[in-house]
Amino acid sequence: MTTIKLYNTRTRSKEVFTPIDPDNVRMYVCGPTVYDRAHLGNARPVLVFDTLYRLLRHVYGPDQVTYVRNFTDVDDKINATALARKEAGATGTLEELVQERSDETIRWYHDDMKALGALRPNKEPRATEFIPQMVAMIEGLIAKGHAYEAEGHVLFAVESYSDYGTLSGRTVDDMIAGSRVEVAPYKRNPMDFVLWKPSTEELPGWDSPWGRGRPGWHIECSAMAFELLGETFDIHGGGNDLMFPHHENEIAQSRCAHPSGDFAKVWMHNEMLQVEGKKMSKSLGNFFTVRDLLDQGIPGEVIRFVMLSTHYRKPMDWTEKKRDEAKATLDHFLSVVAGKPPTEVAEGVLEALAEDLNTHKAIQVLHRLAREKDAGALRASLQLLGFNLATLKSGWVDPARYAVLDRLEERLVRLRDQAMQTKDFSHVDTLKAALVDAGVEVRMSKAGVELVPGPGFDAATLERLT
């Protein structure tokens, strides 16, 4: 069986992944708050953990992996959106409009992530479906002395959990100094966080021992993970922006509620996304949703390819250049596999993914497979990485346009072999320059030669070179 190694944020080291139960590998990933369309940054953790899900299914079997990703449908932003609709004349109670907005946004999310080739998790719980479990967990925390009621709120007492800050590597004093914490007179400690808070009659709310209210954000994931995966499960994932306070708080309340468990054994965090080297921001005019790109005619597979080209623990920079290069590369790959059935996933691809999900290295192996014209392994490897070849094949690739590239690739190989003997590389350089002028990226290495059409690919010019 393939040995998988994963970087564990908790231990700050790469570890051999040994599931608690190989017949039931369990993973929880924090999902979206459903108040609007998913932006491009939201797509990165989806694609990172979708790739991990595919790897786990490949290694342990599709029926031996349970993947849970939640929807947060209790949130002030959702309430604000619903209130704006009501003020604009929408019919129905505010609670009904909140439900309507959540349903609508979840449909959008499913459609957009499907377009990126992401598999649906086994379970997609909504926070509103697990309110009784949250109330029960909060009651248990109060009984154990880890939480307290104050002015209609219930708060977790951070000082009651001695390991608080271990995941993010911060002390409580550092956290207070370096973060914005809600200053409230009813808090015993500025870092104490809300487990339950009051709700008005108009806003969504539920009856509880502490009055009508709604849960805090952090308790939602703890309760859902416990109910669906148990006291201890294998992997917890999300963006590194969630490490503190969300994941830190999850660990504290989960371990205090269930002291015999370990919550998550492995913690994985993906780095953030930038656009053209800058943080995505509406004020900079570089903010866009996944749907914006899809509506511009950019295939979801291209978005996926750009995302996977960077290792998940490195910042990912979305650029138009990368987008165009990804389109051309996938175009080339598809010309190689056209009409050919899949065989086995290339060992190099599997090894790269098993080495802390090194998708960048896996894509380098795909390039080698394309150079070697190993269509069966290339197709199987692309499928493992989540690329929907049937979608792209329809009207995107014309295999005939690559016949000229194949001929020129063979010619360049012959010229390079001759030059290695004569030490005269002038003919190689001349042909290479002509190829570049015709919009072809020339990749030459010890492994061989690969010609990849770029954004300015001009097949007519290439015909004149043959």
Side-chain angles (χ1 to χ4, degrees):
M1 180 177 288
T2 302
T3 298
I4 298 174
K5 294 181 180 179
L6 300 173
Y7 183 86
N8 189 348
T9 307
R10 187 172 73 166
T11 62
R12 289 164 181 76
S13 64
K14 197 182 295 185
E15 303 171 351
V16 172
F17 175 65
T18 305
I20 300 164
D21 178 2
D23 292 328
N24 184 20
V25 182
R26 289 162 288 166
M27 176 170 70
Y28 186 97
V29 175
C30 291
T33 300
V34 288
Y35 65 92
D36 207 344
R37 287 276 190 187
H39 60 70
L40 190 59
N42 298 143
R44 192 174 195 199
V46 172
L47 295 182
V48 166
F49 293 103
D50 177 69
T51 305
L52 178 58
Y53 181 40
R54 290 171 180 275
L55 174 64
L56 294 171
R57 285 163 56 95
H58 182 84
V59 173
Y60 295 98
D63 297 329
Q64 278 64 55
V65 182
T66 302
Y67 174 19
V68 178
R69 185 183 64 216
N70 72 295
F71 287 115
T72 294
D73 58 348
V74 183
D75 185 79
D76 291 338
K77 290 181 179 179
I78 304 173
N79 295 342
T81 302
L83 183 60
R85 285 187 171 188
K86 187 173 181 63
E87 291 174 347
T91 59
T93 66
L94 186 60
E95 192 162 349
E96 289 171 340
L97 292 173
V98 166
Q99 179 72 39
E100 180 183 291
R101 179 59 169 178
S102 298
D103 292 345
E104 176 184 52
T105 308
I106 288 172
R107 284 196 303 273
W108 290 345
Y109 187 82
H110 280 148
D111 290 345
D112 292 349
M113 297 308 115
K114 181 179 179 181
L116 302 186
L119 298 171
R120 290 274 285 269
N122 303 95
K123 300 178 187 295
E124 295 183 288
R126 296 190 186 197
T128 52
E129 298 170 341
F130 288 80
I131 300 297
Q133 291 88 340
M134 296 174 202
V135 170
M137 183 175 279
I138 294 169
E139 287 182 308
L141 288 169
I142 292 174
K144 292 181 176 73
H146 295 292
Y148 58 95
E149 183 182 1
E151 298 183 22
H153 295 73
V154 180
L155 297 110
F156 182 87
V158 166
E159 290 179 340
S160 73
Y161 179 60
S162 60
D163 288 338
Y164 191 79
T166 301
L167 180 69
S168 57
R170 309 181 192 185
T171 66
V172 173
D173 289 341
D174 289 340
M175 292 184 229
I176 293 174
S179 65
R180 290 175 293 179
V181 295
E182 181 187 0
V183 177
Y186 48 78
K187 284 188 175 185
R188 297 176 184 172
N189 183 307
M191 290 304 299
D192 291 351
F193 56 88
V194 172
L195 300 174
W196 190 265
K197 56 186 174 182
S199 188
T200 65
E201 286 300 321
E202 188 176 38
L203 290 172
W206 293 264
D207 293 332
S208 80
W210 319 287
R212 176 180 166 81
R214 51 199 169 103
W217 175 33
H218 313 299
I219 196 68
E220 296 175 12
C221 286
S222 285
M224 289 185 282
F226 171 70
E227 289 296 322
L228 298 174
L229 298 176
E231 286 188 348
T232 307
F233 53 94
D234 295 294
I235 299 169
H236 195 312
N240 68 357
D241 58 326
L242 299 181
M243 190 186 308
F244 176 81
H246 185 51
H247 290 165
E248 200 76 74
N249 292 351
E250 276 189 75
I251 291 172
Q253 62 201 10
S254 294
R255 287 188 172 174
C256 290
H258 308 289
S260 61
D262 198 25
F263 197 39
K265 301 287 286 185
V266 178
W267 285 84
M268 297 178 65
H269 295 90
N270 63 273
E271 257 287 358
M272 295 296 98
L273 175 137
Q274 297 178 321
V275 175
E276 302 290 350
K278 297 180 180 179
K279 183 178 179 180
M280 191 164 65
S281 166
K282 290 181 179 179
S283 63
L284 294 176
N286 65 351
F287 179 95
F288 43 85
T289 67
V290 171
R291 180 51 52 179
D292 290 335
L293 293 179
L294 295 171
D295 287 346
Q296 291 170 22
I298 300 171
E301 291 80 3
V302 168
I303 299 171
R304 186 182 187 97
F305 193 91
V306 174
M307 291 277 192
L308 297 188
S309 296
T310 300
H311 190 277
Y312 78 93
R313 286 195 290 113
K314 292 183 179 181
M316 192 264 139
D317 191 15
W318 172 273
T319 67
E320 290 189 8
K321 182 174 184 290
K322 287 181 179 179
R323 179 197 67 193
D324 293 342
E325 287 175 345
K327 167 73 162 58
T329 298
L330 280 172
D331 204 3
H332 178 47
F333 287 171
L334 288 165
S335 74
V336 174
V337 304
K340 306 291 176 56
T343 53
E344 297 292 328
V345 174
E347 191 64 30
V349 169
L350 204 53
E351 289 175 356
L353 295 180
E355 189 62 35
D356 193 30
L357 216 61
N358 194 337
T359 53
H360 174 74
K361 187 176 180 180
I363 287 174
Q364 290 179 320
V365 178
L366 298 183
H367 283 291
R368 175 177 60 77
L369 296 173
R371 284 196 302 270
E372 296 171 353
K373 301 296 188 288
D374 190 345
L378 179 57
R379 180 179 282 275
S381 300
L382 283 165
Q383 288 174 342
L384 176 62
L385 285 164
F387 293 98
N388 187 344
L389 303 176
T391 301
L392 289 181
K393 189 171 65 174
S394 176
W396 191 22
V397 177
D398 176 12
R401 70 187 288 211
Y402 289 94
V404 62
L405 270 185
D406 289 341
R407 295 196 299 273
L408 287 168
E409 192 173 281
E410 292 172 2
R411 180 178 165 191
L412 189 57
V413 169
R414 289 197 304 271
L415 289 174
R416 190 176 75 157
D417 289 344
Q418 293 170 6
M420 295 294 288
Q421 300 296 323
T422 65
K423 306 303 180 185
D424 179 4
F425 286 85
S426 59
H427 295 300
V428 173
D429 293 339
T430 298
L431 179 55
K432 183 178 177 181
L435 289 166
V436 172
D437 288 342
V440 177
E441 182 182 349
V442 180
R443 297 173 178 171
M444 301 178 70
S445 66
K446 292 180 180 179
V449 173
E450 183 183 12
L451 302 184
V452 179
F457 180 70
D458 184 353
T461 298
L462 292 182
E463 288 287 355
R464 293 193 290 271
L465 296 176
T466 57

